[in-house]
Amino acid sequence: MYLSKILTPLVACALLATPTAPVWAQPKGDQVLLDMQQAFRKGDRKRLEQLLPQAKGHALEPWAAYWELKARLNDASAQEVQGFLQRWAGTYHEDRLRNDWLQLLGQRRDWAQFAEHHAQYRMQDDKEVRCYALLIEDIKGTASPNVGDEVRRLWHSQRDADDGCAHAAAELLAARKLSALDVWRKARLAVEANRPGVARKAVEIVAPDALPTLREALDAPSKFLRAHSTARGRMRQELVLLALIKLAGSDIESAASQLDAKWGVHLSPEERNWAWGVMGKVAAQKLSPSAMGYYANVSRDTDLNDDLLAWKVRAALRAGQWREVRHAIDAMGEEQRQDATWVYWKARALLAGRPNDHERAQAQRLLEGIAGTRGFYEQLALEELGQRVTLPPAPAPLTEEEKAAARANPGLNRGLYAILIGLRGEGVREWNYTTNLHRPGGMNDRELLAAADFACQREVWDRCINTSERTRGTIDMVQRFPMPFRDAVVERAKSIGLDPAYVYGLIRQESRFIMDARSHVGASGLMQVMPATARWTAKRIGLTDFRAEQITDRDTNIAIGTAYLKLALDDFGGSMPMAAAAYNAGPGRPRVWRNGTVLDAAIWAENIPFSETRDYVKKVLANTTNYAALITGQPQSLKARLGTVGPRGVAEPEVNKELP
């Protein structure tokens, strides 16, 4: 619908990026690209080959060429690959195919070709490729002394199996640059994440003879633990630990009983600490008051990884054990400790009780280091320092030259073009590559602002917001927090007693203002309403002629989404954090999550068991506070919007059991 708005810059883009005169704005040509995308997804190599000539000269021809070659890359010659890389030099598609080719060369152990291509690889964001590159450096003798640390970090951060990091880990273990514990810990992480295949691959590296026993331990952990009475040697101890981790996921009390009464004496202190840490995490995710009891059995916090420590902090916050909050954060890795979440809670822990002058000064420094408007904890830090959330100074206006440079950028233009004809995933990837990865460090702040402005002017709001959010030294609040459809949103919100800033904060997080957004679970439109919820709410507010296809209509979606949000807000006594959690995860879960003692809502939000909902609630509330500052022009308080969370009070309305 916005295609006509970008034809002129796309012509400029084509003249810069293609050797032949392009054919523009041809619906038939666009359809060829859409058909090729579908053929690529189906792995239909013959159809891709048939359609490729029809894409010649199109603005998105690089995508067509990429799909066709990628689909048969396993059989392609090095000369074909080189020809593609030369023809599309400087584009996302060149670097994307080089990434794919590097993965294949790594799997083939073709280190000579890998090294040659890796030197020209710009993205540098693929963990598997990075592991191959580190291994080659080690083989050549040019690796840093910390090569094992980096491979371990990359490998442990991957949930699914890959060849690159697993192979590098195996080689570095043989070279004694990774320890057996590093490999066993990978197996532990995999079992905890319910990735038995990944666990088997790790055990195969460190103890291949243990694979049959590993299957017994993971298939029936309770039976395995009952059937054995001793665990002599490192391999047996680790297998027992893996069985305890597996059992803890389904029956934490049984796992704790087995560890306490039988297996604790057979494990090393590190292994026992890890087992108790996993049990503490499982209990913490269930919001069980027993969580800190499990964690209390850990004799040394530094034996736990950052994830187990994060859940210890959350459990300690719920229990009001501020000293344990401090100890757990201090045991985290340096990178984790610098995250605003843990900086804020470390400062709060320092200020709890009766802090001395040194503790107050340290907390002040920590809070000052993160305070600002950027996010949830940055805003809370600002308020801890006695300030409110206000609009930061606007950056200097973009010059015409800066805007023109963004409009003439080939990658930005192709990204927008792809998005606007329906190739959203491809367009987003090319746009992000152009802004973030095309050159080391990505675009500078002024270039990012100009790129964001380009997207804003074309009403591609997700690229507008996400690009503007990448600036480091300056903040353009109007770009970061746009207000499309302002009359419709504000009028509807006010008519039903909702804060328009809250509605905008939620829409920004739900859909980034993409009209036809659709989630993987079927939620649709600006406010991402589920079909069943839409039907129920439409009936509730009197939209008797509502049809499913209307859910992406702007006004209908806003009417239904705001009505549901208001019902959720009323059901939770006006609590914005709980209503946001209900909007994301359904009302039943936050009704359970609110049970227990009355908590500071920031502690409650940080303890939400689902990472998606936890992140969602924090972002919606931070968004809301920034939108309120924009709408009113007045200083705002995030804390006032958070309040406290606890069991339903006698003065609150009865639970709306019909609320879906």
Side-chain angles (χ1 to χ4, degrees), residues 32 36 39-40 43-55 64-65 67-69 71-72 80:
V32 168
M36 289 192 73
F40 177 70
D44 191 341
R45 293 168 55 171
K46 184 175 181 180
R47 180 68 171 152
L48 287 166
E49 182 182 1
Q50 292 171 340
L51 289 170
L52 181 61
Q54 299 177 46
W67 288 325
E68 194 277 331
L69 183 53
R72 56 183 180 84
E80 283 184 283

Side-chain angles (χ1 to χ4, degrees), residues 3 9 47 110 119 134 168 194 202 216 219 242 298 342 360-362 414 436 463 486-487 511 544 585 620 641:
L3 199 58
R47 180 68 171 152
D110 188 340
L134 288 167
N194 197 27
E216 294 176 30
D219 286 351
L242 294 178
V298 175
W342 312 120
R360 279 193 291 267
Q362 185 182 358
R414 276 193 301 268
N436 308 349
R463 293 309 92 206
R486 183 162 182 164
D487 290 345
S511 69
T544 55
V620 167
R641 289 178 167 81

Side-chain angles (χ1 to χ4, degrees), residues 52-311:
L52 181 61
Q54 299 177 46
K56 186 174 178 59
H58 192 280
L60 303 183
E61 184 185 353
W63 275 108
Y66 169 78
W67 288 325
E68 194 277 331
L69 183 53
K70 168 63 176 172
R72 56 183 180 84
L73 192 58
N74 283 337
D75 303 321
S77 68
Q79 290 73 24
E80 283 184 283
V81 171
Q82 191 60 38
F84 179 97
L85 299 176
Q86 289 174 349
R87 182 178 183 196
W88 303 111
T91 67
Y92 165 78
H93 315 84
E94 174 217 2
D95 219 29
R96 176 74 264 166
L97 191 82
R98 180 174 283 111
N99 188 109
D100 301 332
W101 187 236
L102 284 167
Q103 288 181 335
L104 197 56
L105 292 172
Q107 291 162 16
R108 293 172 177 175
R109 313 293 188 249
D110 188 340
W111 304 133
Q113 273 207 78
F114 184 100
E116 179 183 342
H117 281 279
H118 189 262
Q120 303 172 67
Y121 176 51
R122 295 185 296 275
M123 289 186 196
Q124 297 293 338
D125 66 342
D126 186 293
K127 293 178 181 178
E128 183 175 24
V129 169
R130 178 61 180 159
C131 281
Y132 284 132
L134 288 167
L135 178 58
I136 292 174
E137 289 176 10
D138 189 66
I139 292 170
K140 290 181 175 179
T142 59
S144 78
N146 300 321
V147 62
D149 294 337
E150 186 172 357
V151 168
R152 179 180 61 248
R153 179 180 58 80
L154 292 167
W155 191 36
H156 284 189
S157 68
Q158 292 176 297
R159 283 175 61 85
D160 296 318
D162 83 316
D163 176 72
C165 292
H167 181 63
E171 294 296 314
L172 292 180
L173 175 67
R176 298 186 178 181
K177 294 179 181 179
L178 277 182
S179 69
L181 177 59
D182 294 325
V183 184
W184 282 114
R185 281 191 166 192
K186 174 63 178 180
R188 299 174 194 176
L189 294 169
V191 171
E192 188 185 342
N194 197 27
R195 296 289 194 277
V198 179
R200 283 194 293 271
K201 192 164 187 176
V203 172
E204 186 176 11
I205 292 171
V206 70
D209 293 343
L211 288 175
T213 312
L214 174 68
R215 182 178 295 278
E216 294 176 30
L218 299 187
D219 286 351
S222 183
K223 179 180 178 181
F224 175 85
L225 293 167
R226 289 195 308 270
H228 295 79
S229 57
T230 62
R232 294 180 181 176
R234 177 63 172 278
M235 183 184 79
R236 285 285 177 177
Q237 290 170 208
E238 287 287 355
L239 291 171
V240 166
L241 176 55
L242 294 178
L244 287 167
I245 292 170
K246 179 69 172 179
L247 181 59
S250 58
D251 188 347
I252 186 173
E253 291 183 0
S254 177
S257 176
Q258 286 272 5
L259 178 58
D260 194 35
K262 180 178 180 180
W263 290 109
V265 296
H266 296 281
L267 302 181
S268 71
E270 186 274 339
E271 290 162 345
R272 284 196 302 273
N273 288 338
W274 192 284
W276 286 121
V278 169
M279 293 173 199
K281 174 186 171 180
V282 171
Q285 289 179 320
K286 295 179 179 179
L287 307 182
S288 170
S290 66
M292 287 308 293
Y294 293 123
Y295 275 118
N297 292 309
V298 175
S299 61
R300 191 171 66 174
D301 279 347
T302 51
D303 281 342
L304 307 183
N305 70 352
D306 284 347
D307 184 51
L308 298 178
L309 290 167
W311 279 103

Side-chain angles (χ1 to χ4, degrees), residues 198-500:
V198 179
R200 283 194 293 271
K201 192 164 187 176
V203 172
E204 186 176 11
I205 292 171
V206 70
D209 293 343
L211 288 175
T213 312
L214 174 68
R215 182 178 295 278
E216 294 176 30
L218 299 187
D219 286 351
S222 183
K223 179 180 178 181
F224 175 85
L225 293 167
R226 289 195 308 270
H228 295 79
S229 57
T230 62
R232 294 180 181 176
R234 177 63 172 278
M235 183 184 79
R236 285 285 177 177
Q237 290 170 208
E238 287 287 355
L239 291 171
V240 166
L241 176 55
L242 294 178
L244 287 167
I245 292 170
K246 179 69 172 179
L247 181 59
S250 58
D251 188 347
I252 186 173
E253 291 183 0
S254 177
S257 176
Q258 286 272 5
L259 178 58
D260 194 35
K262 180 178 180 180
W263 290 109
V265 296
H266 296 281
L267 302 181
S268 71
E270 186 274 339
E271 290 162 345
R272 284 196 302 273
N273 288 338
W274 192 284
W276 286 121
V278 169
M279 293 173 199
K281 174 186 171 180
V282 171
Q285 289 179 320
K286 295 179 179 179
L287 307 182
S288 170
S290 66
M292 287 308 293
Y294 293 123
Y295 275 118
N297 292 309
V298 175
S299 61
R300 191 171 66 174
D301 279 347
T302 51
D303 281 342
L304 307 183
N305 70 352
D306 284 347
D307 184 51
L308 298 178
L309 290 167
W311 279 103
K312 181 174 182 180
V313 173
R314 294 181 180 114
L317 287 170
R318 284 185 66 87
Q321 297 183 21
W322 291 100
R323 182 180 296 276
E324 293 302 320
V325 169
R326 287 175 62 174
H327 290 165
I329 293 174
D330 287 342
M332 291 175 174
E334 182 178 357
E335 184 177 351
Q336 178 99 332
R337 288 199 310 272
Q338 292 174 354
D339 184 277
T341 303
W342 312 120
V343 171
Y344 175 80
W345 289 119
K346 173 68 179 294
R348 285 282 303 273
L350 286 165
L351 294 172
R354 298 179 179 178
N356 57 39
D357 290 345
H358 174 72
E359 289 169 332
R360 279 193 291 267
Q362 185 182 358
Q364 178 90 1
R365 289 193 298 272
L366 290 171
L367 293 169
E368 288 174 348
I370 63 170
T373 62
R374 288 179 181 269
F376 185 79
Y377 285 112
E378 292 85 346
Q379 292 179 4
L380 287 177
L382 201 62
E383 293 199 57
E384 288 293 331
L385 294 169
Q387 303 172 48
R388 294 289 183 101
V389 176
T390 58
L391 299 179
L398 292 165
T399 66
E400 286 305 314
E401 291 77 12
E402 288 172 322
K403 292 181 180 180
R407 291 195 300 268
N409 185 295
L412 296 182
N413 276 279
R414 276 193 301 268
L416 287 186
Y417 194 106
I419 289 169
L420 296 173
I421 68 169
L423 298 175
R424 171 162 286 279
E426 289 78 4
V428 166
R429 288 195 291 276
E430 182 157 9
W431 178 279
N432 290 348
Y433 165 81
T434 304
T435 56
N436 308 349
L437 300 171
H438 182 68
R439 66 170 187 253
M443 291 182 171
N444 64 38
D445 279 4
R446 297 296 296 181
E447 291 169 325
L448 288 168
L449 291 174
D453 178 73
F454 185 22
C456 294
Q457 295 303 318
R458 272 66 187 175
E459 299 181 15
V460 183
W461 299 112
D462 63 322
R463 293 309 92 206
C464 166
I465 294 167
N466 289 27
T467 305
S468 191
E469 280 189 327
R470 286 188 54 80
T471 58
R472 295 164 287 273
T474 186
I475 295 176
D476 187 329
M477 293 293 282
V478 174
Q479 280 186 350
R480 290 191 181 198
F481 297 92
M483 287 183 275
F485 329 119
R486 183 162 182 164
D487 290 345
V489 171
V490 172
E491 180 181 343
R492 175 64 186 174
K494 288 183 174 179
S495 72
I496 61 173
L498 274 178
D499 180 356

